[in-house]
């Protein structure tokens, strides 16, 4: 081939490669200095955001605000907004404040109707007809649901009540508990943050239990109780370890029978939901940070949980940033604080988390995480009320998250949806519960047109 023609072809290949690189590269993520970053009106599927510790303002840069929205019925023409090619449909409605959702190995969907004190099972037959039965009731704010052992034939369903961990005998396909509950772990604290999520380690040897704090910021608790500090140091940081905060603000690890309890990670104000990342097998949690420090402080976060990790509450936040209400109390702990992986807009209230393991969505989604943001109340301008996608690379977080499912805000002072649970269905669809109007949504990919 003549040399001039080779040069032309080479140039065309370079241009084509550049064009493809532009097409496949992720859009630049908004940073906090962008005026659209904090504006819920700008929310739209695909809009990416990224926050680093350096982006955080000083405490009280804006005054603390209480802005609780009205819950309204879904307006007739409002519908969740999704990326191109995706569609949402109502999978189940009329539920009583559905919270955590988990998919059984056979595809049945277990739903915690926490305020009603029951666990419900939803079953779709081959024709798509949905049936609903109460698996167990008379519970105390149930939230966490876990199947044990892992695999296709679990023998128990574990339930995280607010004051105990229970387990019910189970055979695949059961929609009503076949026997009474056995108490695996009792004596969990009953006040304050009440959600008790449950996740088994990949080898089934340990059960992780999330226990949030009693208070927002360990208010009014004596900081220099020597006995309490001694207990704190023995366990590497069980919350504030003062009075009613002792053995709180942590992830607890126990045997499947409830024996050998020990703190796995501490200093987590409210680790609401947990999941195991399939590739690295690491434990992740969504954490609701403290309020009353301003509109953009403290960022909520989603992070890998390291064994023995201390995440700062109440003395520090997002690494070595000292809480102004606890200044000078524990300088010895500053080097021990673990900085979380993915920072979210402050007061977004992340709840459910699920890693996408299905095959229905495009390949680029596989391995990424979906997180439900229940929505703010401690912020002058609303944030949250959506499902976001956490970008992963090789099982590790990139630090960027993007809007995936939006449109739940009806007006500045009103919302019709508050996402809570996320789960991947057996067919690869994404299930999203919201407790404002008692609905579970089913998100499918139908291809771009």
């Amino acid at each position: 081939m003549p040399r001039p023609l080779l040069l032309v072809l080479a140039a065309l290949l370079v241009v084509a490669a550049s064009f493809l690189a532009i097409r496949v590269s992720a859009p630049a993520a908004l940073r906090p200095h962008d005026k659209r970053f904090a504006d819920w009106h700008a929310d739209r599927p695909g809009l990416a955001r990224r926050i680093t510790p350096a982006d955080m303002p000083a405490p009280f840069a804006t005054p603390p605000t209480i802005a609780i929205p009205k819950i309204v019925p879904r307006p007739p023409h409002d519908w969740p907004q999704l990326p191109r090619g995706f569609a949402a449909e109502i999978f189940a409605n009329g539920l009583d404040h559905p919270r955590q959702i988990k998919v059984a190995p056979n595809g049945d969907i277990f739903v915690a109707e926490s305020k009603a004190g029951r666990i419900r099972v939803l079953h779709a037959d081959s024709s798509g007809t949905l049936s609903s039965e109460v698996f167990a009731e008379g519970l105390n704010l149930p939230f966490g649901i876990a199947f044990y052992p892992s695999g296709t034939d679990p023998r128990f369903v574990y339930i995280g009540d607010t004051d105990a961990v229970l387990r019910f005998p189970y055979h695949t396909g059961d929609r009503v508990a076949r026997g009474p509950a056995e108490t695996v772990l009792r004596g969990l604290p009953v006040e304050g943050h009440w959600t008790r999520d449950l996740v088994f380690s990949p080898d089934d040897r340990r059960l992780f239990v999330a226990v949030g704090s009693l208070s927002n910021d360990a208010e009014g608790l004596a900081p220099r109780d020597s006995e309490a500090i001694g207990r704190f140091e023995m366990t590497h940081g069980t919350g504030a370890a003062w009075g009613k905060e002792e053995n709180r603000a942590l992830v607890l690890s126990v045997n499947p029978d409830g024996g050998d309890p020990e703190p796995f990670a501490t200093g987590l104000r409210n680790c609401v939901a947990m999941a195991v990342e399939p590739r690295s097998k690491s434990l992740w949690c969504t954490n609701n940070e403290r309020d009353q420090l301003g509109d953009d402080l403290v960022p909520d976060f989603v992070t890998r949980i390291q064994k023995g990790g201390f995440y700062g509450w109440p003395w520090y936040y997002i690494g070595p940033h000292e809480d102004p209400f606890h200044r000078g109390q524990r300088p010895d702990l500053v080097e021990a604080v673990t900085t979380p992986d993915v920072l979210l807009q402050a007061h977004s209230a992340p709840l459910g988390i699920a890693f996408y393991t299905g095959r229905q969505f495009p390949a680029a989604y596989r391995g990424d995480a979906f997180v439900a943001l229940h929505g703010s109340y401690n912020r002058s301008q609303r944030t949250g009320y959506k499902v976001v996608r956490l970008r992963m690379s090789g099982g590790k977080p990139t630090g960027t998250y993007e809007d995936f499912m939006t449109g739940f805000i009806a007006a500045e002072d009103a919302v019709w949806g508050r996402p809570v649970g996320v789960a991947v269905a057996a067919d690869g669809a994404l299930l999203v519960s919201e407790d404002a109007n008692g609905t579970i949504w089913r998100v499918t990919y139908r291809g771009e047109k």
Side-chain angles (χ1 to χ4, degrees), residues 208-405:
F208 300 112
V209 184
V211 183
S213 69
L214 168 68
S215 61
N216 172 53
D217 201 11
E219 299 91 341
L221 301 177
R224 284 297 176 185
D225 182 286
S226 59
E227 181 183 358
I229 289 175
R231 288 194 297 267
F232 169 85
E233 290 170 346
M234 286 171 57
T235 59
H236 194 62
T238 54
W242 302 320
K244 291 183 179 180
E245 291 289 3
E246 186 176 2
N247 296 322
R248 302 195 64 145
L250 67 122
V251 172
L252 184 67
S253 171
V254 299
N255 290 334
D257 63 2
D260 190 26
E262 63 178 10
F264 183 80
T266 58
L268 291 158
R269 176 179 173 269
N270 189 21
C271 172
V272 179
M274 300 180 292
V276 172
E277 195 281 316
R279 184 163 178 168
S280 66
K281 309 301 183 185
S282 56
L283 180 67
W284 280 67
C285 96
T286 63
N287 187 71
N288 289 199
E289 259 295 348
R290 66 208 82 187
D291 296 320
Q292 305 303 321
L293 294 183
D295 273 5
D296 297 310
L297 208 65
V298 172
D300 292 330
F301 60 79
V302 187
T303 191
R304 292 169 288 190
I305 297 296
Q306 301 176 15
K307 184 176 183 178
F310 171 57
Y311 292 83
W313 189 90
W315 298 284
Y316 297 91
Y317 59 84
I318 315 300
H321 296 85
E322 194 170 32
D323 186 295
F325 292 112
H326 299 282
R327 187 164 287 125
Q329 291 176 359
R330 295 305 306 269
D332 55 310
L333 295 177
V334 65
E335 297 295 332
V337 184
T338 300
T339 301
D341 290 307
V342 184
L343 305 187
L344 306 176
Q345 205 166 349
H347 316 300
S348 293
L351 300 189
I353 178 173
F355 289 93
Y356 190 73
T357 55
R359 294 287 174 179
Q360 185 186 124
F361 290 7
Y365 284 81
R366 293 172 197 161
D368 286 355
F370 290 102
V371 175
L373 304 187
H374 198 230
S376 64
Y377 84 93
N378 188 229
R379 200 171 191 282
S380 60
Q381 190 175 38
R382 210 158 302 291
T383 190
Y385 306 97
K386 58 187 174 183
V387 176
V388 297
R389 172 190 179 191
L390 270 56
R391 290 294 198 127
M392 304 285 289
S393 178
K396 297 180 180 179
T398 65
T400 297
Y401 69 99
E402 64 184 44
D403 294 347
F404 178 75
M405 189 177 188

Side-chain angles (χ1 to χ4, degrees), residues 83-87 356 360-362 365 428-429 443-448:
R84 183 177 297 177
F86 289 86
Y356 190 73
Q360 185 186 124
F361 290 7
Y365 284 81
V443 178
T444 55
Y445 182 71
R446 300 179 180 178
E448 296 188 33

